[in-house]
Amino acid sequence: KLLTKDLKVDEVPVRIYQPKWPPTSKRRGVLYFHGGAGTFGSIRAFDRVCRYIAKKCNSVVMSVGYRLAPEHPYPGQYLDCLTATLYFMRNCEEYHVDPALIIIGGDSCGANFATVICQILLNKRDLPKVRAQVLLYPGLQALDFHLPSYQQNASVPILYRKLVIYFCFRYLNKERTAMEDVLQNCHVPESMKSKYKKWISADIIPNEFKIRGYVPHKSTPYKPEVHEAIKEILAITFSPLLAEDSVIHQLPESYIVTCEFDVLRDDGLLYKKRLEDNGVRVTWYHAESAFHGILAFFGYGIFSFLSAEKIMDRTVDFINSL
């Protein structure tokens, strides 16, 4: 039912999925950035997800095989995603895509990339406006690793809390000597903690998400040497939840999926609130029995999960509503 085409856009591999049947009108275009902590994952691994979206939404989907860290250094992943996005936006007519119906999305770190790209594109006046962003269990901040979801799901597969820190260091190709200090939030200056508490705090998380056990984290002393070693994780391109309101209020309509058994759950909840507080329309789906990375199993028969199918069907419903 689909035509697929692999090509390279300035050395960035992409795969384009197009429905075989002729379009009755211009189609939606979906850019998809896969998860994998910026260090693994591939177009092939998320082929089933992209095929499903293309078929069920009668859309043209471009899956971006951004080059992986640490071999391809940070922030090359964002730049690869941006390169592919600019190509798609400038050539959408070639694929019978309506420039007013371009959606940018991804899962996990891919959702992080999608968030950053949507923020960057606000300054590109010569391009079509993004119609919507689709963020599937996004990781959006590295300021606080003691939010309720980090505590509750610290030992829940497949993304443990310590594994998040490990991937941050691997992604940035840093020595891992300060991992334990970062886990305790010693990398954040007091000035930043104070400035961003209004956006990133357990106090903002609704109480129903704290009943599985949450203990307020005691403040830990700031260690300048730890901050210096890993300061990139507090940049907007790594932690887009830290973007100013002047940026957030310009963002397109958004769809956010959170999973209950996911250390990154609260990142999605906090971004949802920020978007809504800034007048951005948000459609939210909370998968109550799902875990982080569940879409990697989507479409694999007996290895697939009902929760993954529900996430994909809700995502398709949102895209079709645009």
Side-chain angles (χ1 to χ4, degrees), residues 155-221:
S155 301
V156 174
I158 51 179
L159 187 63
Y160 306 105
R161 178 165 62 175
K162 286 188 175 179
L163 206 51
V164 174
I165 312 298
Y166 167 81
F167 281 135
C168 287
F169 277 78
R170 176 171 165 73
Y171 178 45
L172 296 171
N173 200 18
K174 299 285 189 178
E175 292 291 330
R176 292 165 202 148
T177 51
M179 280 178 56
E180 193 58 40
D181 285 325
V182 172
L183 186 63
Q184 298 303 325
N185 296 339
C186 297
H187 63 298
V188 186
E190 290 301 326
S191 58
M192 287 191 78
K193 286 181 183 176
S194 300
K195 177 179 179 180
Y196 294 120
K197 191 173 182 181
K198 60 186 175 182
W199 298 333
I200 301 174
S201 168
D203 297 339
I204 305 170
I205 303 298
N207 287 330
E208 62 262 33
F209 292 102
K210 298 176 185 175
I211 54 178
R212 272 200 299 126
Y214 164 68
V215 179
H217 180 58
K218 292 179 181 176
S219 186
T220 48

Side-chain angles (χ1 to χ4, degrees), residues 147-154 209 262-267:
L147 293 168
S149 62
Y150 268 107
Q151 290 189 21
Q152 294 160 343
N153 303 309
F209 292 102
D262 178 7
V263 287
L264 302 183
R265 180 197 70 200
D266 293 350
D267 286 23

Side-chain angles (χ1 to χ4, degrees), residues 204-263:
I204 305 170
I205 303 298
N207 287 330
E208 62 262 33
F209 292 102
K210 298 176 185 175
I211 54 178
R212 272 200 299 126
Y214 164 68
V215 179
H217 180 58
K218 292 179 181 176
S219 186
T220 48
Y222 166 57
K223 296 184 177 180
E225 69 279 9
V226 176
H227 172 76
E228 192 60 34
I230 196 76
K231 61 187 177 184
E232 289 91 341
I233 67 175
L234 298 174
I236 303 297
T237 45
F238 199 102
S239 296
L241 192 46
L242 304 182
E244 294 295 329
D245 284 339
S246 57
V247 171
I248 300 293
H249 85 88
Q250 299 182 67
L251 289 169
E253 184 175 348
S254 304
Y255 172 76
I256 297 176
V257 169
T258 52
C259 298
E260 179 59 31
F261 299 99
D262 178 7
V263 287

